[in-house]
Amino acid sequence: MEKAKILDALKEGAIQEANFEDIKYFPFLEEWKDIPRGTVVIEERVIPSYPRIARIMRIASGVPRHFKGPFLVEEKVDGYNARIAKVSGKMLAFTRSGLICPFTTDRIPDLLPTQFFNDHPQWVICAEIAGPENPYIEAHPPYVKEDVRAFVFDIIDEKGNFLPPLEKWEIIKAYQLPAVENYGVFEPQEIKRLYELLNRLNEEKREGIVLKSLDGGKRLKFVTPFANLHDIEVSSELLEELPPHFYINRLSRLIISLDELGKKCDDRLFYEAGKALLEGFEDALNKFKRQRRIYHTFSCRFHNPERAEALLQLLNRASSTIRVKKRSLIRENGFWVLTFDKVFLRSTSLLANLLRGQAVFD
Amino acid sequence: MEKAKILDALKEGAIQEANFEDIKYFPFLEEWKDIPRGTVVIEERVIPSYPRIARIMRIASGVPRHFKGPFLVEEKVDGYNARIAKVSGKMLAFTRSGLICPFTTDRIPDLLPTQFFNDHPQWVICAEIAGPENPYIEAHPPYVKEDVRAFVFDIIDEKGNFLPPLEKWEIIKAYQLPAVENYGVFEPQEIKRLYELLNRLNEEKREGIVLKSLDGGKRLKFVTPFANLHDIEVSSELLEELPPHFYINRLSRLIISLDELGKKCDDRLFYEAGKALLEGFEDALNKFKRQRRIYHTFSCRFHNPERAEALLQLLNRASSTIRVKKRSLIRENGFWVLTFDKVFLRSTSLLANLLRGQAVFD
C-alpha cells in the first residue's frame, strides 16, 4: 500500500492511530475504498486482512459448481481468527478487525514455535485460537479441554499473498507448526468421500471443513449439523441480544445439512434443538431475576498482568452494547488468571423493561 | 374527517381509489399525517381504523402499572381482524389495512345477525374471524373445527368512538352477537385470579386475553405460553420467509410467560419447541425438492364465486413476495369452495439457490 493512500485514509478518518505498549499502528476497522476491513499498517509494513469465506449449504451441488479441479480439505476449527506476525522484533497477534489482541499476543510463545519468523520475518501466520479459556467466544472444540491452542490454517508471504495450500503444508511440517487437520486432496466428483468425512466430523462434534483450491485462489466453508446446534446452545442466553437471524439461519442450515447427509429429524433432535434454544435463555432469565443483568463470565490466562488490563480496555472500547467488568486477576499455576464478565446491555435493559411490565408494540 | 384533508391525501398519493363491485372507496393503506393506517373513506363516511394493541409480558408488574382501576378481561381469539359496517345499504367487511375483504364480506350473513345495523346503521362492529378455512392465517382456535366464525370484541359508534366495554356487552347481549368470551371485571391487584384464568386458557389452548379499562381508553394484550408455541408450529414452513424475530420473540415470550405462571421448561417442552420449529421446515424442504416451491394451501367457502376470484386478485395485489395460485373452485354442500396456494417467493428463491450450491457470505 502506498504512503499517499494511508495519509488519505488518515485524513478522511478511515483509520485512527491505535497503541499497544510502545507500538503505534493503524487498523482499518472498516472497509475503506478497496482496502478490506482488518488491514493493518504498522511500522512501515502492511498486514493484509484475512478474507471472509463464503459458505455452501449443499456439498453435492456446491462442490462441482465451485471447483473445476482438485482442492484441499481442511478442518474448520471453532475459535477466533488471529494473524500472527513479528514486527520490529516483537511478536504480535491481530484480531479479525485489525486490533492487536493483548491476550493472544501475550500467549504467542505458548501457542506456536516462533523460530519460523527467524527464517521468514515478513510472513504472517493465520491461525484459529480455540479452547474454553478465551476472551471472545463461548464455543470451542471438544478436544481442547483447557486454556487455548493455536491451529494454523494459512500463511501469508512477504508480498501479501497466501501460500498455495500444498506449499503451506510443507512449511507447517518443516517448522512443526500446530495446525488444523488436513483431510487431503479431493476431486470435485468425490461427493461420497466428502459425505463420509462430514459424517465422521459430525459424530466427533467438530465444526466443519474449509475447501481450498490448490492455487489458493478459492475458499469455501461447510459446517456440520452438530456445529449449528452447538452454536445455538452456547448462545441461547443471548436470545434477546444477538440478531434473531443468528439462530434462525443455524436452524435452517441444520435441517438442510442433515437432509443432505441422509438423516431425518427425529425426536432426539427435536428435543436437543428445543433444549439448545430454550435452556440457556431460561437460565439467563433466572440469573437476571437475582442479579438484574444478562452477562457471561470469561476466564483466560496471561503471563503479563498488564496485558490482562489492556484486554479489558480493548473489549470495553470495541462495543457500545457490551460492558466488561473484571472479577479477579490472580496468580495460579504460573499464570495470571483473569476472570471477567461481559454484561450485555441491550438484553439487560430489554429484560428489565419487560419484567417491569412495560407495554410494547410488536 | 374533513373533505379538504381527504382531497389533500388523494393529491399527495397517500390514498388511492379502490373498488369493490360497484363501490368506490379510499383506504389509507399506510399512516398519513395523523390519520392511522386502515382508516377508510367510503360513500361520505369514515370507517375508523382498529388501533394496534400493546403487549405486556408480565401480569404481576404490568397490570398494576397500566391500570389504576377496574378493567374488563376478554378472550383474545386467534384469527384476523375485520371491521363490519353497512354502507349505503350494503354489508361490507374491511381488513386491518382498510381494504374490503371479498371473503369476509361474502360470509357476513353467516357470521352474525345483521338486524343490529337496522337500529345502528352508522356503527361498526369489530370482530375476529377465526377458523381453519380462512384465507389469511394458519393458526385458529381449537374449538372452531371447520369454516370460520366471528367473535365480536368491539363496537364503534357513529362518532367513531369505541363503546365503553360494559355498554358494548349490553349491546352484544341485546342483539345476540357472537362474541369473544367475557371473563369479567378485575381489579389491578387481582393477580392470582388472572394467573388462574391464564393457566386455564393455556390448558385449553387458547391464545390469551385483552385487558380493557372500563372507560374504553386503554387496551393491553397478553398471550399464553401455548399460543407462542402454536404460532411457531403453524409457521415453521416459513422459517426462511418470515422475519427471524417472528420466531425468536415468541420463544422468549414463551419462557417469560411460563416463568411468571410458575412453570419450568421441562423435557416435554424442549421436545415440543424443537418439533414446532423444525418439523415444518423439514416438510417444506421435502416439498420443495419435489415441487420446487415453498407454498401453503388455503381453502375457504363462498356464496358468490365472483368474490372468490376477487379475493385471489386482492391477495395477489397485496404482496410482492407472495403469489397466489388457484387450485379449484367447486360447488360443495351449498357453497363455492375455493382452494388456492400461496407461493412464498422469497424462501422459494432462497432455497433454490442454497440447494443449487450457491455460495453465500453471512
Side-chain angles (χ1 to χ4, degrees):
Chain A
M1 206 182 309
E2 330 84 85
K3 266 229 163 94
K5 208 164 195 175
I6 294 161
L7 287 173
D8 263 11
L10 265 171
K11 216 169 60 191
E12 289 195 22
I15 43 173
Q16 290 192 321
E17 186 182 314
N19 293 282
F20 176 76
E21 297 172 358
D22 54 345
I23 300 163
K24 191 199 294 193
Y25 69 106
F26 300 91
F28 283 82
L29 299 177
E30 298 299 335
E31 191 183 46
W32 181 74
K33 294 184 178 170
D34 59 341
I35 303 170
R37 167 175 186 266
T39 306
V40 188
V41 178
I42 181 166
E43 313 259 312
E44 310 285 312
R45 270 181 74 182
V46 174
I47 310 290
S49 68
Y50 192 84
R52 293 172 67 202
I53 299 182
R55 174 194 307 282
I56 52 171
M57 295 200 210
R58 294 296 259 203
I59 292 291
S61 55
V63 166
R65 183 185 180 95
H66 297 285
F67 293 104
K68 301 303 170 195
F71 55 90
L72 198 72
V73 177
E74 298 173 355
E75 185 188 5
K76 182 176 191 323
V77 172
D78 206 353
Y80 64 90
N81 180 297
R83 284 162 292 154
I84 296 169
K86 191 170 189 172
V87 182
S88 305
K90 198 163 185 171
M91 295 298 312
L92 297 172
F94 299 88
T95 66
R96 199 77 187 251
S97 67
L99 294 166
I100 295 174
C101 170
F103 169 69
T104 322
T105 296
D106 186 69
R107 302 297 308 281
I108 292 173
D110 309 314
L111 293 172
L112 40 81
T114 54
Q115 66 270 33
F116 164 89
F117 290 101
N118 299 338
D119 298 342
H120 303 290
Q122 299 294 308
W123 289 15
V124 178
I125 286 181
C126 306
E128 199 77 356
I129 314 297
E133 289 161 272
N134 85 76
Y136 297 115
I137 65 161
E138 290 165 46
H140 64 87
Y143 47 79
V144 185
K145 304 286 185 203
E146 56 163 24
D147 201 7
V148 286
R149 281 165 52 194
F151 300 87
V152 175
F153 52 77
D154 267 312
I155 296 172
I156 303 173
D157 71 14
E158 67 280 3
K159 290 185 183 141
N161 298 321
F162 284 108
L163 296 189
L166 297 178
E167 208 171 301
K168 170 192 71 187
W169 278 103
E170 292 304 317
I171 299 281
I172 286 173
K173 271 179 221 153
Y175 289 92
Q176 295 190 289
L177 296 173
V180 298
E181 278 201 24
N182 177 353
Y183 302 121
V185 174
F186 286 67
E187 294 289 337
Q189 67 276 17
E190 288 186 279
I191 303 303
K192 233 177 122 183
R193 202 178 139 214
L194 284 167
Y195 283 176
E196 282 161 11
L197 172 63
L198 285 165
N199 274 317
R200 174 163 74 76
L201 297 184
N202 192 48
E203 274 155 36
E204 292 173 6
K205 300 179 186 294
R206 294 188 187 225
E207 196 190 10
I209 56 175
V210 179
L211 302 79
K212 295 175 177 172
S213 65
L214 291 188
D215 63 3
K218 183 147 214 164
R219 290 177 171 71
L220 287 176
K221 64 184 174 186
F222 183 93
V223 305
T224 58
F226 163 80
N228 287 310
L229 213 46
H230 185 60
D231 277 356
I232 291 172
E233 189 185 348
V234 298
S235 309
S236 80
E237 280 186 312
L238 304 180
L239 201 64
E240 285 292 352
E241 180 83 23
L242 299 180
H245 65 71
F246 176 91
Y247 303 96
I248 299 302
N249 286 354
R250 280 165 178 79
L251 288 175
S252 57
R253 277 184 226 147
L254 171 69
I255 299 290
I256 293 172
S257 59
L258 281 173
D259 173 75
E260 180 164 28
L261 296 175
K263 294 175 168 53
K264 266 194 65 70
C265 287
D266 56 12
D267 286 353
R268 179 91 213 148
L269 184 84
F270 292 148
Y271 166 77
E272 282 174 0
K275 192 172 152 94
L277 267 162
L278 297 180
E279 196 171 44
F281 188 65
E282 189 184 38
D283 288 349
L285 176 62
N286 286 326
K287 235 158 77 170
F288 182 89
K289 291 199 296 184
R290 292 190 305 271
Q291 308 182 321
R292 314 309 296 172
R293 56 206 181 108
I294 298 288
Y295 67 94
H296 191 81
T297 304
F298 290 79
S299 204
C300 47
R301 309 177 186 182
F302 290 81
H303 295 293
N304 178 344
E306 283 171 26
R307 287 173 167 177
E309 302 290 351
L311 173 75
L312 296 177
Q313 278 183 31
L314 178 90
L315 292 174
N316 260 330
R317 271 202 309 268
S319 166
S320 59
T321 62
I322 296 173
R323 282 277 76 74
V324 165
K325 282 182 199 284
K326 184 162 109 177
R327 281 182 175 251
S328 60
L329 178 59
I330 50 169
R331 195 80 190 149
E332 215 175 273
N333 302 324
F335 280 105
W336 286 95
V337 178
L338 171 69
T339 305
F340 64 95
D341 294 337
K342 279 188 198 170
V343 183
F344 299 93
L345 302 182
R346 196 183 297 134
S347 45
T348 292
S349 81
L350 183 75
L351 222 53
N353 287 334
L354 297 182
L355 296 191
R356 209 180 278 142
Q358 199 189 53
V360 290
F361 287 99
D362 50 25
Chain B
M1 206 181 311
E2 329 82 87
K3 265 225 163 98
K5 207 164 198 176
I6 295 160
L7 287 173
D8 264 11
L10 266 171
K11 217 170 59 190
E12 289 194 23
I15 44 174
Q16 289 191 323
E17 186 181 315
N19 293 282
F20 176 75
E21 297 173 359
D22 55 345
I23 299 163
K24 190 199 293 192
Y25 68 106
F26 301 90
F28 283 83
L29 299 177
E30 298 300 334
E31 190 183 46
W32 182 74
K33 295 186 179 169
D34 59 341
I35 302 170
R37 166 174 187 266
T39 306
V40 187
V41 178
I42 181 165
E43 313 260 313
E44 311 283 313
R45 270 182 74 182
V46 175
I47 310 289
S49 68
Y50 192 84
R52 295 172 68 203
I53 298 181
R55 174 194 307 283
I56 51 170
M57 296 201 211
R58 295 295 257 205
I59 291 291
S61 55
V63 165
R65 185 186 178 95
H66 297 285
F67 293 103
K68 302 303 169 196
F71 54 91
L72 197 73
V73 177
E74 298 173 355
E75 184 188 5
K76 182 178 190 321
V77 172
D78 206 354
Y80 64 90
N81 179 299
R83 283 163 292 154
I84 297 169
K86 191 169 190 174
V87 182
S88 305
K90 198 162 184 171
M91 294 299 314
L92 297 172
F94 299 88
T95 67
R96 200 77 187 250
S97 68
L99 294 166
I100 295 174
C101 170
F103 169 68
T104 321
T105 296
D106 186 69
R107 302 297 309 282
I108 292 173
D110 309 314
L111 293 173
L112 42 82
T114 54
Q115 67 270 33
F116 164 89
F117 291 100
N118 299 338
D119 297 341
H120 304 289
Q122 299 294 309
W123 289 15
V124 178
I125 286 180
C126 306
E128 199 76 357
I129 314 297
E133 290 161 90
N134 85 77
Y136 296 114
I137 65 162
E138 290 165 47
H140 64 86
Y143 48 80
V144 185
K145 305 285 184 203
E146 58 163 22
D147 201 7
V148 287
R149 282 165 51 194
F151 299 87
V152 175
F153 52 77
D154 267 313
I155 297 172
I156 302 174
D157 70 16
E158 68 278 2
K159 289 186 183 141
N161 299 320
F162 284 108
L163 296 190
L166 298 177
E167 208 171 303
K168 170 192 71 187
W169 278 102
E170 292 303 315
I171 299 281
I172 287 174
K173 271 181 222 153
Y175 289 92
Q176 294 189 293
L177 296 174
V180 298
E181 277 200 24
N182 177 352
Y183 301 122
V185 174
F186 286 67
E187 294 290 336
Q189 67 275 17
E190 288 186 280
I191 303 303
K192 234 177 121 183
R193 201 178 140 212
L194 284 167
Y195 283 176
E196 282 162 11
L197 172 64
L198 285 164
N199 274 316
R200 174 163 75 77
L201 297 184
N202 192 48
E203 274 154 37
E204 292 173 8
K205 299 180 186 293
R206 296 187 186 224
E207 196 190 11
I209 55 175
V210 179
L211 302 81
K212 295 175 179 173
S213 65
L214 291 189
D215 64 3
K218 183 147 215 164
R219 291 176 170 71
L220 287 176
K221 63 184 173 185
F222 183 94
V223 304
T224 58
F226 163 80
N228 286 309
L229 212 48
H230 184 59
D231 276 357
I232 291 173
E233 188 185 349
V234 298
S235 310
S236 82
E237 279 185 313
L238 303 180
L239 202 63
E240 285 291 353
E241 181 82 23
L242 299 181
H245 65 71
F246 176 91
Y247 304 96
I248 298 301
N249 286 354
R250 280 164 178 77
L251 288 176
S252 56
R253 274 184 228 150
L254 172 68
I255 300 290
I256 293 171
S257 58
L258 280 174
D259 173 74
E260 181 165 26
L261 297 174
K263 294 174 168 52
K264 267 195 64 69
C265 287
D266 56 13
D267 286 353
R268 179 90 214 151
L269 183 84
F270 291 148
Y271 167 77
E272 283 175 359
K275 192 172 153 95
L277 266 161
L278 297 180
E279 196 171 44
F281 188 65
E282 190 184 38
D283 288 349
L285 176 63
N286 287 326
K287 234 158 81 169
F288 182 89
K289 290 199 298 186
R290 293 190 304 271
Q291 308 182 322
R292 314 310 295 172
R293 55 205 182 107
I294 299 287
Y295 67 94
H296 190 82
T297 305
F298 290 79
S299 206
C300 46
R301 310 176 186 183
F302 290 82
H303 295 292
N304 177 346
E306 283 171 26
R307 287 173 167 177
E309 301 290 350
L311 173 75
L312 296 176
Q313 277 182 30
L314 177 89
L315 291 174
N316 261 329
R317 272 203 309 268
S319 167
S320 60
T321 62
I322 296 173
R323 283 277 74 73
V324 166
K325 283 182 199 285
K326 183 163 111 177
R327 284 183 172 251
S328 60
L329 178 59
I330 50 170
R331 196 79 191 150
E332 217 175 272
N333 301 325
F335 280 104
W336 286 95
V337 178
L338 171 70
T339 305
F340 64 95
D341 293 338
K342 279 187 199 171
V343 183
F344 298 93
L345 303 181
R346 195 184 296 134
S347 46
T348 293
S349 83
L350 183 76
L351 222 53
N353 286 335
L354 297 182
L355 296 191
R356 209 181 277 143
Q358 198 190 52
V360 290
F361 287 99
D362 52 25

